[in-house]
Each structure stands twice: as C-alpha cells, then as structure tokens.
Amino acid sequence: MIHWLNLHIDQVSLLWLLPILFMFHDFEEILTVESWGIKYGPKVEAALPPGKWNPYRSMLRMTTRNFAADVLFVYIVVVAVTCTAVFFSFYWLYLAVLAVFLLHVFTHLGQSMILKIYTPGVVTAVLIALPYSSYAFYRLLKENTVSWVDVCWSLLLMALLAPAIVWRLVKSRQRHQPE
C-alpha cells in the first residue's frame, strides 16, 4: 500500500491533501457537534468538576454556526501554512500543523474512550487524520524534504503557537454562547 501511494501521489499533492483532509474531518464535527452537545452535553457537563472547566462547558454548547466559524479560522491557517510549504519550501509551520492534526486524533480517541460514547470527529480522526498525517511525516522524512531536526523545531513552534490559537478559539466560543 505504501509503495502504491509513493508511486501515485507526488509531493505537492501530498502537501495539499492536508487542507482537503482537514475539511473532511471537520465536516464530521460541524455536522454533529450541535446535536451531540444537546444530547450528551448535560451528562458530560455534570461529570466535570465545578468551576474549573468553563472552557470545556462552552465547547459542549457549541452551535453548528459558531463551530463552523472556528473551523474557518483554523482552515485559513492550514491553507496558509500549506501555501508556505508548497511555494516557499518552508516546512516548519506545515509540520507543526501536521503534528497538531496527528495529536488531535488522540484527543478524539481519549474523549470517546473516557465517555464511552461516540464523540464528534472520532471516525474521521481514526480513518483519515491518523493514516494521512502518519504517512505525510513518513514520506517527507523518507524523501529528505524535511529532517528530524525540522520536525523537532516544528514541534517547538507548535508548543509555542498552539496555546495562543486554542486561547483564541476558547474566547470565541465563550463570547458566542447561547443565553
């Protein structure tokens, strides 16, 4: 299978698959987040420690429209870093976003395992995000497009930038809560 992929997907296509597959994953979340929150939100919220998890409570009350607005913001970032990688051969930001895409899989898996229910995004996280991001890292390293040093620098960059992006999304969600 990997040999077939290597033969049939050129590197530029591999890079552009990130924004495409990101959207497939996020469509699952967009289409299910509001109804899931209505159905399971109160149960999940009741299980959270009082007062300490306000950012998580706001996520449980997301509307489809507000979640889609968050996805648009993240999608713009994903497309911008992909353009930077494709057109300028600067991969650190791309690798950082790719790492978040990969690590995000385990957030979905963890949520589903802890709650013992389907959570929005878990299916495409396992079927799309995990195989793609693993293969993309493999391929970029195998073809010496990036090095392990690049991956390490991108992980540091991710650690520095991710808190600001998550903070922005949480603040946006808190501002747009239904009364």
Side-chain angles (χ1 to χ4, degrees):
M1 178 63 144
I2 289 178
H3 179 68
W4 186 90
L5 290 171
N6 292 344
L7 289 175
H8 292 88
I9 300 176
D10 64 77
Q11 195 163 64
V12 171
S13 297
L14 176 73
L15 295 171
W16 280 115
L17 278 171
L18 178 59
I20 294 166
L21 297 178
F22 169 85
M23 281 313 304
F24 275 106
H25 168 65
D26 272 67
F27 282 147
E28 178 190 2
E29 291 179 309
I30 289 168
L31 293 172
T32 59
V33 71
E34 187 171 358
S35 62
W36 186 91
I38 291 167
K39 184 174 182 178
Y40 296 107
K43 174 185 169 188
V44 173
E45 191 172 345
L48 296 173
K52 292 191 174 190
W53 298 90
N54 288 333
Y56 298 106
R57 283 187 171 78
S58 67
M59 289 180 216
L60 294 170
R61 298 178 186 146
M62 288 295 292
T63 64
T64 300
R65 180 183 177 159
N66 291 339
F67 189 79
D70 287 351
V71 169
L72 176 61
F73 168 76
V74 177
Y75 186 70
I76 290 168
V77 171
V78 171
V79 170
V81 302
T82 302
C83 287
T84 304
V86 170
F87 298 119
F88 302 106
S89 298
F90 180 74
Y91 298 100
W92 286 6
L93 294 170
Y94 183 88
L95 293 171
V97 169
L98 187 61
V100 170
F101 197 48
L102 176 60
L103 295 173
H104 186 63
V105 170
F106 301 101
T107 301
H108 284 291
L109 285 173
Q111 290 169 346
S112 288
M113 290 188 312
I114 289 168
L115 298 173
K116 295 179 178 61
I117 55 175
Y118 164 84
T119 56
V122 71
V123 173
T124 53
V126 171
L127 297 179
I128 292 175
L130 180 62
Y132 166 74
S133 53
S134 300
Y135 175 70
F137 273 115
Y138 157 78
R139 180 85 177 271
L140 293 169
L141 286 162
K142 179 185 178 289
E143 294 179 359
N144 295 317
T145 302
V146 300
S147 68
W148 281 106
V149 171
D150 294 323
V151 172
C152 290
W153 279 112
S154 70
L155 292 175
L156 177 61
L157 188 61
M158 175 193 67
L160 293 172
L161 294 178
I165 292 171
V166 169
W167 178 83
R168 185 254 181 230
L169 290 172
V170 168
K171 285 298 184 190
S172 171
R173 288 174 181 176
Q174 289 173 337
R175 243 181 283 135
H176 294 69
Q177 286 304 297
E179 298 300 325

